[in-house]
Amino acid sequence: MAQRNRSFAVIGLGRFGSKIARELVAYGNHVIGIDENERLVSAIADSLTEAVIADARDESALREAGIGGYDAAILAIGANLEASILCLMNLKNMGITDITVKAYNSQHQRIMQALGATDIVIPEEDAGEHIAQRLHNSAIQDFMEICEGNYVALVQANRGCMGKTLQDLNFGQKLDVQCLGIMRHNTFINPATHQEKILAAGDKLLVQGSRAAIRNFADAR
Ligand code: ATP
C-alpha cells in the first residue's frame, strides 16, 4: 500500500543513490540529497527538493542540513566502509529509525546489521540473482523472496497449462505451488473467482512456493 508522502534523506549520490532520490521525488516525496562531491550535488540539485554538499562522517554537518527531522534515510555510500559506518552511527545518534543501507558485500552487510540498520541491500547481488534466474529459465519473468525460503514469481504459463482451468491444474494439491493470479495482457484475473478460466497462450501465472517448487513448475514443459 502506498504511504502518504514522506521525507527522505539520500546520502551518497552515485548511480544507486541518485536513482533512488529521483524516483522518490517522482512519487511526490520530499527528498534531500547529500554528497561530498560538489559536481554530483550540482548535477542533481534541480531534480531534488534540496541538495547539500557535506561529509557524511561529520555528524554536525548532517545536523546542519536538518537530516534529524527526516522520516527515513537511504545510506548509499557503497565502497567507503569507514564513511558508511560513521554515517550510520550519525544517523542513529540523530534519532532516525528507518535507515536503508546499500552494502558493498556480505561483510559490510553484517556490520550494518550489527549497528542497527533497518534494511540492507546489496544491489549487485540482487541483480545478479535475478539475471541468473532469467538466463536459467526465461519462463520465470520476475520473482521475490517474501520470507525465508518462500517466493512469489511471475511465470509464463507452459504448454501443459494451455486449455486447462486452474481447477484442472489443481494448484496446491497436484502442484507444490499456489496460484495467486493470472496476468493476461495487462489484466489481473483473480483465481478465487475464476477457477473456470481457461488458460491461453501468453498468460502469466503469479505463483507462490519454495524456490525448488517454483523452478520445477517453470521447468515443466
Ligand atoms: P554507485 O554504484 O552508486 O555509483 P558506489 O557503490 O561505487 O556507488 P561510492 O562511489 O563509493 O559507491 O559512493 C557513492 C557516493 O557516495 C559517491 O558519489 C561518493 O562521492 C559519496 N560519498 C562517499 N563518501 C562520502 C562521504 N564521506 N560523505 C558524503 N558522500 C560520500
Side-chain angles (χ1 to χ4, degrees):
M1 191 172 54
Q3 299 194 32
R4 65 177 172 80
N5 293 347
R6 301 170 75 208
S7 59
F8 293 92
V10 179
I11 299 161
L13 297 170
R15 286 162 303 170
F16 182 77
S18 60
K19 181 68 181 167
I20 289 195
R22 288 179 201 275
E23 290 290 321
L24 287 170
V25 167
Y27 285 115
N29 295 290
H30 180 108
V31 180
I32 185 171
I34 295 207
D35 202 293
E36 62 181 2
N37 182 324
E38 188 180 343
R39 185 181 54 79
L40 293 177
V41 172
S42 310
I44 206 168
D46 289 344
S47 310
L48 307 186
T49 319
E50 218 178 317
V52 171
I53 305 162
D55 183 345
R57 292 171 297 186
D58 179 357
E59 186 177 332
S60 58
L62 295 181
R63 282 189 189 278
E64 213 167 294
I67 302 301
Y70 278 72
D71 293 327
I74 296 91
L75 174 41
I77 298 174
N80 185 340
L81 184 61
E82 179 209 327
S84 177
I85 291 171
L86 288 173
C87 182
L88 177 58
M89 291 167 68
N90 290 339
L91 293 171
K92 291 200 73 81
N93 273 346
M94 283 186 278
I96 300 184
T97 52
D98 184 350
I99 307 172
T100 298
V101 176
K102 171 190 169 172
Y104 185 64
N105 54 29
S106 52
Q107 281 85 9
H108 188 180
Q109 180 180 32
R110 284 183 60 199
I111 293 167
M112 298 319 249
Q113 227 153 20
L115 292 175
T118 321
D119 191 20
I120 304 162
V121 293
I122 308 181
E124 292 84 355
E125 289 193 3
D126 292 348
E129 196 183 351
H130 273 81
I131 291 167
Q133 178 60 77
R134 279 220 306 272
L135 290 170
H136 169 71
N137 186 338
S138 59
I140 299 183
Q141 308 209 323
D142 205 355
F143 73 99
M144 69 178 286
E145 190 171 17
I146 46 173
C147 60
E148 189 78 41
N150 212 322
Y151 290 78
V152 167
L154 191 62
V155 182
Q156 190 78 48
N158 63 29
R159 260 183 286 145
C161 296
M162 295 304 132
K164 292 188 178 150
T165 65
L166 294 179
Q167 221 158 27
D168 295 334
L169 291 167
N170 208 355
F171 280 91
Q173 306 291 323
K174 274 194 236 160
L175 296 166
D176 287 338
V177 293
Q178 299 285 349
C179 181
L180 307 177
I182 304 169
M183 293 297 300
R184 180 166 293 173
H185 308 298
N186 281 330
T187 312
F188 178 81
I189 301 169
N190 183 349
T193 49
H194 290 82
Q195 280 291 315
E196 301 304 325
K197 191 67 107 185
I198 293 172
L199 292 170
D203 283 351
K204 293 168 196 161
L205 300 170
L206 189 64
V207 296
Q208 174 261 318
S210 70
R211 193 176 177 139
I214 290 175
R215 197 169 271 175
N216 287 342
F217 175 67
D219 284 347
R221 288 278 122 196

